[in-house]
Amino acid sequence: MESGHITLDSLYQHVNHDPCFQSIDGQGKTGREYAALATKLTSNIPIQQGFYIWGNYEENSLWRTIYLGKASSGKTSSLKARILEELKDERIFMWADSQPNLNNAELMRLALNQYPRKGLDKHFSRALRKKGTTHIIWVSTPDILKDEILNIEADLIETMNPFANSMRPSPSSGLLDITIEVIKRFKSEIHGLR
């Protein structure tokens, strides 16, 4: 089991130099630059199964979990692949953070006016729930069994309380030892970043 984190500062700096956020759909020079930065950030994340959280530190230095995800062991569904895909596909959350005077409805309207493709409203809505994320913490779990993943995810969602997760599966009555170890790894990374 390994754990680590990425800090999104370089992506936010890129977004701040792209005020019209032309890279929102990944096209053109700014889109390619954003994708290259995201790829570099995720280069040390293993191609293994595991769990990851998106979050930030509030003004009082307490961690706030925004989103919790799970990854399987396939090359295109591993921790590295899932985190990179979400950073690229849901980059609107960064643009939203650079527009503090606009609420989510106004942000959605502007984004859809600029990119009026069918189905983007649902996609943008999911991405906007990740607004405020400054760090992504991951824990690889290469040795867990497939039938344990959903129970671990349910326990982690209950424990970490990520407000952007719309699905809230019912947790088991007790924590598996592996779940406790994953929580310890998350907490170690959270405290190490303070």
Side-chain angles (χ1 to χ4, degrees), residues 49-54 65-72 77-79 82-83 86 126 130 136-139 141 149 152-153 156-157 160 162 164-165 182 186:
Q49 67 185 13
F51 299 92
Y52 54 98
I53 53 176
W54 294 55
T65 302
I66 294 173
Y67 176 77
L68 182 134
K70 67 180 180 303
S72 62
S77 57
S78 67
L79 279 169
R82 293 290 304 133
I83 293 169
E86 288 179 28
R126 174 187 152 104
K130 293 180 178 175
I136 299 172
I137 299 172
W138 54 267
V139 177
T141 55
I149 292 174
I152 294 169
E153 179 188 30
L156 290 172
I157 288 173
M160 304 300 293
N165 286 70
V182 170
F186 278 142

Side-chain angles (χ1 to χ4, degrees), residues 21-28 31 88 91 114-115 117 120:
F21 204 33
Q22 297 172 356
S23 61
I24 196 170
D25 68 350
Q27 304 300 313
K88 288 163 129 183
R91 61 185 83 186
Q114 189 169 355
Y115 301 99
R117 289 191 291 250
L120 280 183

Side-chain angles (χ1 to χ4, degrees), residues 178-192:
I178 189 73
T179 305
I180 294 168
E181 185 59 32
V182 170
I183 293 167
K184 285 180 182 178
R185 294 287 182 130
F186 278 142
K187 288 184 78 162
S188 176
E189 292 290 333
I190 289 167
H191 294 305

Side-chain angles (χ1 to χ4, degrees), residues 61-114:
S61 296
L62 294 178
W63 174 260
R64 179 176 64 136
T65 302
I66 294 173
Y67 176 77
L68 182 134
K70 67 180 180 303
S72 62
S73 56
K75 186 176 180 179
T76 59
S77 57
S78 67
L79 279 169
K80 182 179 197 157
R82 293 290 304 133
I83 293 169
L84 178 58
E85 178 185 343
E86 288 179 28
L87 281 173
K88 288 163 129 183
D89 286 352
E90 298 179 2
R91 61 185 83 186
I92 187 175
F93 81 89
M94 295 206 157
W95 175 70
D97 283 335
S98 71
Q99 308 293 321
N101 298 327
L102 300 177
N103 64 36
N104 280 3
E106 293 166 323
L107 290 165
M108 180 75 86
R109 189 180 73 254
L110 286 172
L112 290 173
N113 282 341
Q114 189 169 355

Side-chain angles (χ1 to χ4, degrees), residues 146-166:
K146 284 189 177 189
D147 61 341
E148 295 176 320
I149 292 174
L150 294 178
N151 287 335
I152 294 169
E153 179 188 30
D155 287 336
L156 290 172
I157 288 173
E158 181 180 62
T159 303
M160 304 300 293
N161 196 25
F163 63 84
N165 286 70
S166 55

